[in-house]
Amino acid sequence: TTRVWKLDPNNPDPEIIARAAEIIKKGGLVAFPTETVYGLGANGLDGEAVAGIYRAKGRPSDNPLILHVADLEMAHRLSRSLSPEALLLIEQFWPGPLTLIVPKGGEIPQQVTGGLGTVAIRMPDHPVALALIKAAGLPIAAPSANRSGRPSPTTAAHVRTDLEGRVDAILDGGPAGLGLESTVLDITGPCPVILRPGGVTHEQLARVLKNVTLDPSVLGEKLPKDQAPRSPGMKYIHYAPAAPVILFEGEPEKVRKALSCRAEELSAMGKRVGVLATEESAAGYSGQAKILTMGRRKTPSGAAALLFGRLREFDRLQVDIILAEGIETKGIGLAVMNRLRRAASEIVKC
Ligand code: TXA
Ligand code: MG
């Protein structure tokens, strides 16, 4: 059975943290909140414990994990060398939603890295996550705490839906703040490359780094034949609710019209339609569709915070199909659109 412990996110009870840390040290699994999404943690230096994460999630074992650290010293121990560039990024963005891909150090089990010569490291900006890592005295390996392929969990309730009975404990610290995962930045090559857009935006990184580029997979572009993705996670279907998602992109008024037509068509065929709409267009959809909103177009941080929860809500409403409006790819909007494109089975350009 899974124990669920509620705690104050700003002032976590040290006794609960100590019990959770004990589970981690003994090789068990603890789900915990971070500032991005909930993570499913295990001792990052224990290959057997890490294997348990893959089993609980049903995750392919060649998709490597992020090691979460609570101080710079831990990061130094996990990497063969942290370059001046790495140290600059750490100074600017840690603790925070930036994961760095760096050359891996000696003591990291291959279950963490999927056999790669590099390792992903980040320092989360959440009192519960930091307290848990410190109390365990170990780097904590943690992917998002969802069943593989499902939207990442932004509340403890989402984690329970996916993992109740499959993990030892869940720390309930309320909703995760950002709602989308960290930015994954590979700094092992000649130029830094964003492998996954996330909480730290491309624009923010470009202010600190020269030549930071986006991996082609970020924009949802097809990779050239025979080219393996740089981030193994990119080749898997992801973030998908039970119903298929059709994404409509382009000029807002055209999107509204095209989406309306498709919604009416599908409703007429007897389908239960869900519409994921911006606040501005929501009133423009009539008929039988279940409409859920994701905030205003001008504030993509709202869409980021709401997206995964909305996709899960459509599951609860048991819709047959979800029609989603795209938003602009500026700032955190890029991460929102990356998740929507990867959840979509069809993209309609309007
Ligand atoms: O916000 C987050 O990053 C959350 C919280 C819990 O920290 N974690 C998270 O983990 O999203 P996960 O496992 O769902 O995503 C990790 C991503 C995957 O796409 C994986 O392929 C990539 O990081 N990754 C991990 N190690 C890598 C490496 N050595 N080289 C390239 N990509 C790597
Ligand atoms: Mg994930």
Side-chain angles (χ1 to χ4, degrees):
T1 53
T2 301
R3 275 159 297 176
V4 181
W5 287 312
K6 246 192 188 340
L7 67 192
D8 177 352
N10 297 312
N11 191 14
D13 180 345
E15 251 172 65
I16 295 178
I17 293 293
R19 286 162 77 181
E22 211 44 52
I23 295 174
I24 295 277
K25 284 195 273 188
K26 286 191 178 133
L29 301 179
V30 177
F32 60 96
T34 80
E35 84 282 26
T36 58
V37 300
Y38 272 71
L40 176 58
N43 178 353
L45 302 179
D46 175 348
E48 270 307 302
V50 171
I53 292 179
Y54 289 92
R55 276 197 299 276
K57 283 186 56 113
R59 176 176 172 118
S61 60
D62 64 343
N63 190 7
L65 303 177
I66 299 170
L67 289 179
H68 295 70
V69 301
D71 52 54
L72 192 56
E73 199 193 304
M74 247 186 214
H76 276 292
R77 269 194 282 132
L78 297 175
S79 177
R80 200 149 32 75
S81 68
L82 292 178
S83 63
E85 192 177 50
L87 295 173
L88 175 70
L89 289 162
I90 286 170
E91 192 194 293
Q92 291 278 323
F93 297 108
W94 280 10
L98 178 67
T99 295
L100 296 174
I101 308 294
V102 295
K104 86 177 184 103
E107 58 174 345
I108 302 171
Q110 69 99 28
Q111 285 92 336
V112 169
T113 59
L116 297 172
T118 55
V119 63
I121 310 179
R122 96 174 184 98
M123 189 190 292
D125 188 13
H126 194 292
V128 173
L130 291 171
L132 181 64
I133 300 163
K134 278 193 194 128
L138 299 156
I140 294 186
S144 48
N146 50 282
R147 290 295 286 267
S148 191
R150 303 251 308 139
S152 298
T154 55
T155 66
H158 297 163
V159 179
R160 292 180 74 170
T161 302
D162 279 19
L163 297 175
E164 182 111 64
R166 306 178 71 89
V167 302
D168 297 298
I170 299 171
L171 297 178
D172 179 354
L178 273 162
L180 295 179
E181 302 86 345
S182 62
T183 301
V184 178
L185 184 71
D186 185 349
I187 50 171
T188 60
C191 286
V193 182
I194 297 174
L195 302 182
R196 178 177 74 180
V200 171
T201 64
H202 186 192
E203 291 88 336
Q204 283 175 294
L205 289 172
R207 260 176 248 138
V208 178
L209 294 175
K210 279 185 225 132
N211 307 325
V212 57
T213 61
L214 291 172
D215 191 73
S217 67
V218 167
L219 302 166
E221 283 159 26
K222 292 252 184 313
L223 289 170
K225 252 216 210 113
D226 304 332
Q227 187 182 316
R230 307 230 339 224
S231 175
M234 293 296 176
K235 66 175 186 263
Y236 298 107
I237 296 192
H238 222 320
Y239 313 116
V245 176
I246 305 180
L247 176 61
F248 292 75
E249 293 187 22
E251 200 261 305
E253 192 47 29
K254 288 186 186 159
V255 162
R256 196 191 56 75
K257 283 192 184 137
L259 198 156
S260 277
C261 289
R262 185 72 80 94
E264 276 180 41
E265 228 171 79
L266 289 162
S267 296
M269 290 164 59
K271 301 265 190 219
R272 297 159 66 94
V273 179
V275 174
L276 184 60
T278 57
E279 213 69 69
E280 289 89 339
S281 335
Y285 301 115
S286 50
Q288 279 105 58
K290 299 267 178 211
I291 298 158
L292 298 178
T293 58
M294 52 176 172
R296 304 189 71 79
R297 281 186 211 118
K298 280 272 165 329
T299 51
S301 58
L306 290 170
L307 178 66
F308 288 143
R310 292 295 193 245
L311 293 178
R312 283 173 178 266
E313 207 171 329
F314 282 124
D315 279 353
R316 215 178 43 77
L317 295 168
Q318 297 190 300
V319 300
D320 298 312
I321 190 152
I322 299 165
L323 308 183
E325 285 181 22
I327 62 169
E328 275 192 280
T329 54
K330 272 193 280 192
I332 192 79
L334 178 65
V336 172
M337 287 306 290
N338 168 267
R339 306 306 187 270
L340 269 173
R341 285 169 183 163
R342 296 188 59 204
S345 51
E346 181 187 341
I347 297 177
V348 180
K349 304 259 182 188
C350 303

